[in-house]
Amino acid sequence: MPDAIPALRIPKPDGDTHAGQPAYDLIELLFFAYRDFVSDPDRILDEYGFGRAHHRVLHFVDRQPGLTIAELLDILRITKQSLNRVLKELIEKRFVESRTGTADRRQRLLYATPQGHDLAQKLARLQTRRIARALADMEPDAKDAVTRYLLRLIDPDDRAHVERLVFGTEKV
């Protein structure tokens, strides 16, 4: 990565840049960063016949044991039909298990199996290495700045919910 980053066209809150053009540089950097961020897990997931949807489900089920299907649908914002297909495969291949709720027997609580936990951890370690490399040569407070930036990309009405999920708190 070059030492000097070209000047970014910082958009105004209304979505325009100072030059009146969309922030193509930031938009494209987000596309390319996401492409590479998921590329390492994609290769491993492919060995299991899984895709990114499987990764997202496994990630959140592993991070929040006992997650309900309704909660998972809320986190992922996908259709129940889409989730059912992915979840069925993860359950059939014994990466996730579904248990009946104790308080409400109609509820299905989701848990990663030991095999599912191991895969989720393997994928998370790959992505953690990429994040660590990106932050390695940056200022000490770069992680805080990146965290604030990513949180502000989230819709304001969902931000507190995401903060609770990610940090276990109301505010960062």
Side-chain angles (χ1 to χ4, degrees), residues 6-59:
L8 295 173
R9 293 180 299 279
I10 306 298
K12 297 175 188 173
D14 65 5
D16 268 344
T17 62
H18 294 288
Q21 294 293 315
Y24 289 123
D25 47 1
L26 292 173
I27 292 167
E28 291 170 3
L29 284 171
L30 281 169
F31 280 130
F32 289 122
Y34 180 73
R35 177 199 66 191
D36 292 350
F37 181 70
V38 297
S39 68
D40 301 323
D42 281 352
R43 285 189 283 280
I44 292 170
L45 290 162
D46 191 51
E47 295 171 15
Y48 296 92
F50 293 157
R52 291 180 186 166
H54 297 85
H55 183 189
R56 288 187 292 268
V57 169
L58 185 59
H59 173 86

Side-chain angles (χ1 to χ4, degrees), residues 35-168:
R35 177 199 66 191
D36 292 350
F37 181 70
V38 297
S39 68
D40 301 323
D42 281 352
R43 285 189 283 280
I44 292 170
L45 290 162
D46 191 51
E47 295 171 15
Y48 296 92
F50 293 157
R52 291 180 186 166
H54 297 85
H55 183 189
R56 288 187 292 268
V57 169
L58 185 59
H59 173 86
F60 285 104
V61 169
D62 185 58
R63 293 278 296 144
Q64 298 182 43
L67 192 65
T68 67
I69 290 176
E71 291 167 331
L72 187 55
L73 285 168
D74 186 50
I75 290 169
L76 299 176
R77 297 214 176 139
I78 59 174
T79 66
K80 194 170 185 177
Q81 183 179 1
S82 296
L83 177 60
N84 284 341
R85 180 190 60 79
V86 170
L87 196 51
K88 182 179 181 209
E89 291 176 26
L90 287 167
I91 290 170
E92 285 175 353
K93 292 185 178 184
R94 295 189 170 90
F95 286 86
V96 170
E97 65 180 12
S98 175
R99 301 179 194 162
T100 303
T102 53
D104 182 348
R105 300 199 49 79
R106 295 170 299 176
Q107 268 189 335
R108 305 305 297 163
L109 307 179
L110 303 172
Y111 296 87
T113 64
Q115 176 181 326
H117 173 73
D118 290 346
L119 179 57
Q121 290 296 298
K122 183 177 185 178
L123 300 174
R125 280 192 297 274
L126 283 172
Q127 291 181 314
T128 298
R129 277 199 294 270
R130 185 173 289 275
I131 291 167
R133 282 193 312 263
L135 292 172
D137 296 329
M138 296 178 75
E139 305 80 39
D141 64 343
K143 182 178 184 281
D144 291 339
V146 170
T147 299
R148 287 190 308 275
Y149 173 73
L150 292 172
L151 278 169
R152 280 158 185 79
L153 285 177
I154 297 165
D155 288 339
D157 61 335
D158 196 35
R159 203 171 291 150
H161 177 238
V162 170
E163 288 180 29
R164 282 191 304 276
L165 286 171
V166 174
F167 303 109

